[in-house]
């Protein structure tokens, strides 16, 4: 399997705090990897470094073979991001938000129209196409945010807590959309919802205090922790009840 | 069209829509200066004052109206900074130059349009149509650039609540008091007159007045343009600074 992301010794320090500590990781093409950890584990900081939003203090990462540290301009067209908070232009309609992203990724007229039409179909946005993004419900905004992240045709997608604050139904709808991306787009997802990580991930990476504790499938994590319940397995690992 | 130009234009379009779709922007940016023009003209009709003659008053009101552009650009940038939307854009192929142009360029046609509407209203009230009127309107571009860049500077460093106070209240008042829009700073004299002469507001108004009257006033124009260039440099620095910090 080809490598889409390679992380080598990635470290981020803020004065006395080490948010991410010598992280080593590989993500294969088309794979969905979830980053799990309690608050302050370094999940969002890792995503920010991989997206070029934050400069590593040490180490480097390569997206499709391009260094995030030295080849930012080559990395940016290859990635899409759906940040933790809903990142839409509130006074623009859904259609205008999508067109904006098509323009931002430099898509030509017809190419841009096709990309927007495809996103509208794929994410079922037709019924809200003319509504202002700021007036949509949280679920619709997240759906739009995801569609915007995919509009430039990224090879690698970063989803930072994509279902945070959504109700059960909206979360399930978003899960279906994320699952439909598997195999097509390499995805790195951060989440606090254990059932989400279990349902969506090919592999799970568990972080604690900026350090990678393990990378395995959900079943593998459970096996290592000696329990069939994934949430319990996670708790045992991050609290150190289970030696790794 | 190149991919770079498409990127910049997309961001420009978005900035313009965000500003034009806020009814408060239209109310303050256009409605307030026009109401002031009509009110002062009505006073002039009842009790003639040379300062309130349309030839003298309109350029001042037009420059005062442009001061709201600083509020618009500052609010847009500071709100974007406070949301995750800018993070999304920072992770996209947009370059720092795209951002600067995307936040600045769309406001310049708005400056010109606002000034033209102000002069059109003055013409309806009795200002004679002349070639100087077009030149005076064009002077709104460097003056507008000064205000827009000042807004970008403030919006890059301050929160949206802070820019409301600074650009909304302080800057518009400074423009009103120190531009000589509806009173002559030389009447106050002393430090007030010196401060007014040192800042760009008075020069921008005097430049527009001279152009409207068929004159040149190159010095006033030069001072206004230099201030616009300085404000733009500061805005670029502030924007890049916050971009790096974020």
């Amino acid at each position: 399997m080809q490598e889409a992301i390679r992380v080598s010794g990635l470290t981020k320090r803020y004065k006395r705090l080490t948010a991410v500590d010598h992280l080593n990781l590989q993500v294969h093409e088309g794979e969905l990897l979830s980053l799990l950890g309690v608050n302050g584990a370094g999940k969002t900081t890792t995503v920010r470094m991989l997206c070029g939003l934050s400069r590593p203090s040490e180490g480097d990462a390569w997206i499709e073979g391009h260094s995030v540290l030295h080849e930012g301009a080559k990395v940016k067209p290859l990635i899409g991001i759906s940040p933790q908070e809903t990142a839409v232009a509130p006074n623009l309609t859904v259609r205008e938000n999508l067109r904006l992203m098509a323009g931002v990724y430099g898509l030509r007229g017809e190419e841009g129209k096709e990309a927007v039409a495809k996103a509208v179909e794929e994410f079922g946005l037709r019924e809200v196409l003319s509504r202002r993004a700021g007036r949509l419900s949280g679920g619709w905004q997240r759906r739009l945010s995801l569609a915007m992240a995919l509009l430039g045709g990224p090879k690698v997608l970063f989803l930072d807590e994509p279902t945070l604050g959504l109700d059960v139904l909206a979360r399930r709808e978003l899960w279906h959309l994320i699952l439909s991306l598997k195999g097509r787009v390499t995805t790195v997802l951060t989440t606090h919802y254990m059932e989400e990580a279990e349902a969506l991930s090919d592999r799970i990476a568990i972080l604690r205090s900026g350090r990678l504790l393990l990378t395995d499938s959900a079943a593998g994590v459970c096996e290592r922790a000696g329990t069939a319940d994934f949430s319990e397995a996670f708790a045992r690992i991050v609290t150190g009840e289970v030696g790794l | 069209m190149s991919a770079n130009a498409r990127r910049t234009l997309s961001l420009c379009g978005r900035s313009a829509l965000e500003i034009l779709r806020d009814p408060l922007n239209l109310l303050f940016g256009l409605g307030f200066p026009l109401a002031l023009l009509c009110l002062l003209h009505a006073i002039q009709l009842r009790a003639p004052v040379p300062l309130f003659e349309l030839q003298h008053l309109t350029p001042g009101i037009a420059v005062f109206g442009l001061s709201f552009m600083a509020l618009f650009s500052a609010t847009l940038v500071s709100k974007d900074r406070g949301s995750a939307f800018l993070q999304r854009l920072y992770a996209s192929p947009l370059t720092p130059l795209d951002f600067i142009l995307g936040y600045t360029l769309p406001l310049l046609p708005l400056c010109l349009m606002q000034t033209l509407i102000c002069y059109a209203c003055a013409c309806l009230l009795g200002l004679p149509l002349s070639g100087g009127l077009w030149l005076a309107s064009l002077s709104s571009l460097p003056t507008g650039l000064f205000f827009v860049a000042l807004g970008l500077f403030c919006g890059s460093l301050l929160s949206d609540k802070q820019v409301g106070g600074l650009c909304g209240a302080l800057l518009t008042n400074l423009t009103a008091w120190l531009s000589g829009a509806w009173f002559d700073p030389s009447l106050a004299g002393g430090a007030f007159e010196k401060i007014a002469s040192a800042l760009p507001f008075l020069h921008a108004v005097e430049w527009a007045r001279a152009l409207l009257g068929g004159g040149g006033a190159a010095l006033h124009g030069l001072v206004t343009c230099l201030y616009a260039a300085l404000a733009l440099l500061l805005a670029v620095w502030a924007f890049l600074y916050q971009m790096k910090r974020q």
Side-chain angles (χ1 to χ4, degrees):
Chain A
M1 234 188 265
Q2 279 225 312
E3 223 171 48
I5 304 172
R6 183 157 63 88
V7 179
S8 174
L10 201 66
T11 303
K12 183 70 186 180
R13 292 188 201 94
Y14 297 102
K15 291 182 183 166
R16 286 181 190 172
L17 174 82
T18 303
V20 177
D21 195 357
H22 293 93
L23 182 69
N24 295 301
L25 197 65
Q26 286 85 39
V27 187
H28 306 298
E29 274 190 356
E31 188 181 27
L32 195 153
L33 177 94
S34 289
L35 292 177
L36 293 190
V38 293
N39 285 337
K43 305 182 298 288
T44 298
T45 309
T46 302
V47 167
R48 286 178 59 81
M49 285 192 283
L50 294 177
C51 292
L53 292 172
S54 179
R55 195 176 170 81
S57 310
E58 210 178 297
D60 200 353
W62 290 263
I63 308 277
E64 296 283 330
H66 298 291
S67 157
V68 295
L69 204 57
H70 305 292
E71 297 173 284
K74 284 185 180 165
V75 168
K76 287 185 170 182
L78 300 174
I79 63 170
I81 177 174
S82 184
Q84 209 170 74
E85 296 160 60
T86 307
V88 297
N91 278 332
L92 265 59
T93 64
V94 170
R95 184 190 281 113
E96 287 162 350
N97 266 285
L98 293 171
R99 281 185 183 163
L100 167 67
M101 293 316 288
V104 160
Y105 279 87
L107 301 182
R108 291 173 194 282
E110 272 310 305
E111 202 183 355
K113 277 182 193 166
E114 276 174 28
V116 169
K118 195 177 155 201
V120 169
E121 285 311 311
E122 197 171 352
F123 289 87
L125 293 167
R126 186 164 298 282
E127 62 180 285
V128 291
L129 212 49
S130 302
R131 284 176 61 187
R132 291 207 191 163
R135 293 179 188 165
L136 297 175
S137 68
W140 279 111
Q141 286 195 4
R142 290 297 168 92
R143 203 188 273 218
L144 172 61
S145 186
L146 190 55
M148 287 166 76
L150 284 163
L151 213 92
K155 298 231 179 215
V156 178
L157 178 66
F158 294 96
L159 304 176
D160 196 4
E161 302 196 29
T163 63
L164 186 73
L166 294 187
D167 63 40
V168 179
L169 290 181
R171 190 182 302 164
R172 269 183 53 180
E173 278 181 17
L174 215 60
W175 282 10
H176 287 304
L177 291 171
I178 294 169
L179 279 171
S180 72
L181 301 172
K182 274 174 102 168
R184 283 193 290 148
V185 184
T186 308
T187 306
V188 175
L189 176 142
T190 75
T191 182
H192 278 294
Y193 300 116
M194 295 300 121
E195 70 277 21
E196 184 165 290
E198 197 178 6
L200 301 179
S201 319
D202 293 310
R203 282 191 306 144
I204 289 160
I206 299 180
L207 298 168
R208 184 180 64 196
S209 306
R211 290 193 174 189
L212 181 66
L213 296 179
L214 67 87
T215 312
D216 208 334
S217 64
V221 171
C222 288
E223 198 176 313
R224 287 193 199 208
T227 172
D229 181 63
F230 184 72
S231 299
E232 178 61 25
F234 171 76
R236 285 184 189 180
I237 288 167
V238 292
T239 54
E241 273 181 50
V242 176
L244 297 167
Chain B
M1 192 192 293
S2 72
N4 276 347
R6 252 194 311 278
R7 277 197 281 270
T8 310
L9 278 179
S10 298
L11 206 55
C12 286
R14 180 260 163 177
S15 299
L17 283 175
E18 288 278 0
I19 289 168
L20 288 171
R21 284 192 180 154
D22 189 338
L24 279 179
N25 286 348
L26 293 177
L27 185 74
F28 279 100
L30 203 57
F32 187 47
L34 289 184
L36 207 56
L37 180 70
C38 294
L39 180 72
L40 295 178
H41 177 66
I43 293 172
Q44 154 72 13
L45 290 179
R46 291 175 69 88
V49 186
L51 273 170
F52 292 173
E53 283 170 8
L54 284 171
Q55 192 80 10
H56 199 79
L57 181 67
T58 314
I61 296 289
V63 168
F64 172 67
L66 290 175
S67 69
F68 288 94
M69 291 294 165
L71 178 64
F72 300 164
S73 67
T75 307
L76 182 64
V77 178
S78 61
K79 274 191 176 168
D80 278 354
R81 274 179 48 234
S83 79
F85 182 67
L86 208 54
Q87 272 186 45
R88 181 195 286 288
L89 295 182
Y90 283 163
S92 76
L94 289 169
T95 63
L97 181 67
D98 291 327
F99 283 106
I100 304 287
L101 294 177
Y103 280 120
T104 311
L105 287 183
L107 278 106
L108 295 181
L110 294 182
C111 290
L112 187 61
M113 215 175 343
Q114 186 196 44
T115 304
L116 283 170
I117 291 172
C118 188
Y119 280 107
C121 178
C123 286
L124 290 175
L125 295 173
L127 181 75
L129 198 62
S130 67
L133 190 147
W134 302 110
L135 288 174
S137 298
L138 283 176
S139 77
S140 70
L141 289 174
T143 307
L145 179 64
F146 166 74
F147 284 114
V148 170
L150 205 59
L152 184 54
F153 174 77
C154 294
S156 299
L157 300 176
L158 306 171
S159 70
D160 59 329
K161 277 185 184 166
Q162 288 169 322
V163 298
L166 194 72
C167 297
L170 187 65
L171 186 66
T172 48
N173 268 295
L174 274 180
T175 311
W177 290 103
L178 297 170
S179 67
W182 49 77
F183 81 94
D184 190 349
S186 65
L187 294 175
F192 187 86
E193 188 185 4
K194 280 181 187 159
I195 292 169
S197 300
L199 293 172
F201 315 110
L202 181 66
H203 295 284
V205 172
E206 289 301 330
W207 187 29
R209 276 179 186 149
L211 290 171
L212 183 64
L219 186 63
H220 290 304
L222 184 68
V223 173
T224 308
C225 291
L226 282 175
Y227 262 104
L230 180 69
L232 191 60
L233 281 175
L234 284 172
V236 171
W237 169 80
F239 190 83
L240 295 180
Y241 170 76
Q242 69 79 29
M243 199 176 177
K244 214 171 182 180
R245 230 180 54 167
Q246 285 217 332

